[in-house]
Amino acid sequence: MHIHFIIHESYEGPAAFSQWVTDNGFKQTSTHLYLGESLPAVIDFDLLVILGGPQSPLTRRDECAYFDVEQEISLINRCIAKGKALVGVCLGAQLIGEALGAKFEHSPQREIGYFPITMTDAALASPLFEYFQLTEVVGHWHNDMPGLLPTSKVLAYSQACPRQIVEYGDLIYGFQCHLEFTQTSISALIASAFEQGAMFGEQWVQHPADMAATDTRAMNRLLFQFLDKLVLKYKAH
């Protein structure tokens, strides 16, 4: 398996995804957009993972020179046409929705920190999520949420956001939440948020010290188990 990552910012990288790739002996390549790298022209990978960032699908080139929403949407659509597996996280989930014609929306509440999600009946019936309990504590760092199509399945929601995990197709999943966070990766995000002047203290915004102290290993294992199942499903196609 060849996994390719689209990385928008230095402080929001693959984190636990990379551990999964390494543990399985898969090939990993990345596009670091914040370094001015170009999106891949040749789709020789099996799974595309589009990570998060402070941008939104409405962010213009004059606001962020290295973020080109149309180019990312084009890449996503080419991957879908080629039958590749896709996983979008946060901004990545919103971009997958946009590529399919589902416009992103603002979340009812901003969520930053570790809070529970609730799995829907559709998730509990899915083999890809058989290791998930009805509620699971996972990471969050968002203001927005992915759009929905009539065929989309909402697999998880939280009190602050009704769209935490969305199934767009057999091999296409959007995670508004962050199961890939680790104690190392969250520290970079916290530092960046303070630099950007983000405010803490809202109802669904956890204190940075509590975030930094959270053990993410159980959450990371859930991500790994989902990805294992996704790979098996991809290989069966």
Side-chain angles (χ1 to χ4, degrees):
M1 287 288 292
H2 178 181
I3 319 300
H4 189 83
F5 293 95
I6 304 299
I7 305 173
H8 296 97
E9 301 292 347
S10 61
Y11 50 80
E12 198 156 351
F17 278 108
S18 287
Q19 180 186 333
W20 172 78
V21 173
T22 299
D23 288 349
N24 283 281
F26 296 150
K27 179 180 178 180
Q28 174 175 329
T29 54
S30 303
T31 301
H32 300 83
L33 293 175
Y34 62 94
L35 294 178
E37 296 178 356
S38 299
L39 292 170
V42 178
I43 305 173
D44 60 354
F45 44 80
D46 301 294
L47 166 62
L48 177 66
V49 180
I50 310 143
L51 297 172
Q55 301 86 357
S56 89
L58 297 179
T59 301
R60 305 185 307 271
R61 290 296 296 276
D62 62 343
E63 296 172 306
C64 182
Y66 51 84
F67 178 70
D68 189 324
V69 65
E70 295 303 327
Q71 284 191 9
E72 290 203 46
I73 285 174
S74 175
L75 174 63
I76 291 166
N77 280 325
R78 286 191 289 128
C79 288
I80 293 171
K82 292 286 188 180
K84 305 298 184 180
L86 284 93
V87 173
V89 179
C90 201
L91 171 62
Q94 297 157 26
L95 292 172
I96 288 175
E98 293 280 322
L100 293 167
K103 296 298 182 183
F104 88 103
E105 298 179 53
H106 296 305
S107 177
Q109 301 285 337
R110 177 163 69 165
E111 272 180 299
I112 297 176
Y114 294 96
F115 300 105
I117 57 171
T118 300
M119 311 305 291
T120 65
D121 290 343
L124 297 175
S126 170
L128 274 69
F129 293 88
E130 66 179 353
Y131 294 101
F132 285 66
Q133 300 299 310
L134 178 61
T135 61
E136 296 283 0
V137 175
V138 301
H140 305 271
W141 202 291
H142 70 97
N143 295 303
D144 299 320
M145 61 184 181
L148 297 178
L149 298 167
T151 54
S152 302
K153 295 180 182 178
V154 175
L155 302 180
Y157 61 92
S158 68
Q159 286 186 265
C161 178
R163 303 171 195 168
Q164 289 287 359
I165 305 176
V166 179
E167 179 185 308
Y168 286 107
D170 256 3
L171 300 171
I172 309 169
Y173 292 85
F175 286 75
Q176 186 57 57
C177 51
H178 293 265
L179 278 73
E180 84 283 4
F181 281 173
T182 65
Q183 286 184 308
T184 299
S185 72
I186 197 73
S187 64
L189 264 171
I190 291 169
S192 169
F194 278 117
E195 289 172 5
Q196 295 173 20
M199 298 298 295
F200 294 93
E202 299 173 17
Q203 180 181 5
W204 300 106
V205 178
Q206 197 172 30
H207 191 280
D210 295 329
M211 284 189 268
T214 298
D215 187 337
T216 66
R217 287 175 294 181
M219 175 184 80
N220 297 156
R221 283 194 296 271
L222 290 175
L223 175 64
F224 301 160
Q225 289 159 339
F226 161 78
L227 292 169
D228 288 343
K229 295 284 188 178
L230 181 62
V231 166
L232 290 176
K233 197 173 185 181
Y234 173 77
K235 289 180 175 179
H237 270 248

